[in-house]
Amino acid sequence: MTVYGNFPGSRPRRLRTTPAMRRMVAETRLAPSNLILPAFVREDIDAPVAISAMPGVQQHTLDTLRKAAVDAVSAGVSGIMLFGVPADEKKDARGTAGTDPDGILQVGLRAVREEVGDDLVVMSDLCLDEYTDHGHCGVLTDDGRVDNDATLERYAEMAQVQADAGAHVVGPSGMMDGQVGVIRDALDQTGHEDVSILAYTVKYSSAFYGPFREAVGSSLKGDRKTYQQDPANVRESLRELALDLEEGADMVMVKPAGPYLDVLAKVADSVDVPVAAYQISGEYAMIEAAAEKGWIDRDAAIMESLTGIRRAGAQMILTYWATEVAERLRRS
């Protein structure tokens, strides 16, 4: 063997030699406590309904929602984010089912809090899109545009009923200007000073939301490009971040996660509040579909995708694999 002096002088491979070595020097740690489970609760069903575009995910009954919450606690998951799926006949132009104390999301929130108490951080999606017959995230003007300020009034009402129903955290996802400040005021004025706001600070108008629309029975026609962010923009995200923090956001989120890791990293480097990222339905569906075809190793791809999101700076990750992954991490 020919030896060329001390070449190579540095051998990084020494720290990759065994699983124990790689685990010891790993720079990024993924733990069950980093994970939040998004869950859908549907009105007027007596058995869970499978979501065809999201294998393994379902629209829950109240009973199966309770069980999902208990399973999440047992696995060490930190939180659950609830989305309501009302009956079609209850949808209207103003999304009144979303502010009905007996609406499906509020009923689901009460059921989960009754089941797990404070053992799980119970979060609620604060948006009108599931409840409007037009499928948009707000109230429409006569010419079909989303009326920002009229929508804020509805969000204030939603915040109050969700907090009354037991939400520890509300997650305003509609991307209306001023939504965090209005919601903070509404919560504080109704004795809910301890309810936190997880701001959907960076929410892009993404092609990856498709399966989610089946999950919530969306009535949307058209798109949401006039209020969700343009995927081409980064500085705009930092402006949204500054505004949400000024208005009182307790935590901030980037959505989607995988296609926007650069944005996530910039946000995480800019703040001293907890940062979340949402691994959305399309990200989930792509991995499940490719794995079903035998094209990728499903479990390895799941862990790699979540580690990448964590590495980019997310302390909390909303993922439909939350309970499964948490159980795997606890066994490892």
Side-chain angles (χ1 to χ4, degrees), residues 36-283:
I36 297 167
L37 177 69
F40 307 99
V41 57
R42 178 172 166 179
E43 195 166 28
D44 295 340
I45 56 173
D46 54 17
V49 176
I51 300 167
S52 63
M54 300 174 68
V57 181
Q58 58 192 10
Q59 295 170 327
H60 286 288
T61 67
L62 290 174
D63 287 341
T64 62
L65 178 65
R66 287 175 181 269
K67 182 179 185 304
V70 169
D71 290 346
V73 171
S74 298
V77 170
S78 283
I80 187 169
M81 173 68 81
L82 299 188
F83 297 85
V85 185
D88 284 343
E89 62 270 17
K90 293 189 177 178
K91 296 181 180 183
D92 60 26
R94 293 181 58 80
T96 53
T99 50
D100 181 352
D102 295 318
I104 184 58
L105 180 53
Q106 285 68 254
V107 172
L109 287 166
R110 288 194 291 270
V112 171
R113 281 301 302 272
E114 288 169 3
E115 194 68 35
V116 300
D118 293 334
D119 292 339
L120 196 64
V121 179
V122 180
M123 305 176 169
S124 56
D125 177 60
L126 199 164
C127 196
L128 288 170
D129 59 319
E130 293 100 323
Y131 310 100
T132 55
D133 53 13
H134 46 74
H136 279 286
C137 297
V139 179
L140 300 185
T141 62
D142 291 341
D143 60 358
R145 294 179 298 107
V146 176
D147 186 326
N148 191 94
D149 295 0
T151 299
L152 293 181
E153 295 179 14
R154 301 288 294 125
Y155 285 2
E157 296 175 52
M158 292 189 82
Q160 293 171 42
V161 296
Q162 291 177 2
D164 287 343
H168 294 108
V169 177
V170 296
S173 59
M175 293 300 290
M176 297 297 118
D177 294 339
Q179 62 185 13
V180 171
V182 166
I183 290 167
R184 183 72 271 160
D185 286 346
L187 292 169
D188 291 351
Q189 291 173 18
T190 54
H192 294 299
E193 297 89 350
D194 290 339
V195 173
S196 300
I197 298 175
L198 170 58
Y200 283 61
T201 293
V202 182
K203 185 177 181 181
Y204 284 97
S205 179
S206 172
F208 293 96
Y209 294 135
F212 180 88
R213 291 176 183 168
E214 177 191 348
V216 296
S218 174
S219 303
L220 180 66
K221 296 178 179 60
D223 59 51
R224 300 185 173 122
K225 293 181 179 180
T226 62
Y227 45 103
Q228 293 178 352
Q229 288 177 236
D230 184 341
N233 294 349
V234 177
R235 289 193 299 271
E236 180 183 34
S237 298
L238 299 180
R239 184 182 183 199
E240 292 277 6
L241 174 64
L243 291 168
D244 282 354
L245 293 174
E246 182 181 348
E247 292 172 25
D250 299 288
M251 300 169 277
V252 296
M253 183 155 66
V254 175
K255 180 180 181 180
Y260 297 95
L261 295 181
D262 60 323
V263 180
L264 173 59
K266 286 182 181 294
V267 169
D269 287 344
S270 302
V271 299
D272 56 4
V273 299
V275 176
Y278 197 146
Q279 185 182 53
I280 66 169
S281 60
E283 298 174 73

Side-chain angles (χ1 to χ4, degrees), residues 29-35 75 303 306-307 322-332:
R29 308 281 181 182
L30 184 66
S33 59
N34 298 128
L35 305 176
M303 298 306 292
L306 291 170
T307 300
T323 302
E324 174 189 338
V325 168
E327 289 172 345
R328 189 184 310 162
L329 291 168
R330 287 166 68 91
R331 292 194 299 267
S332 63

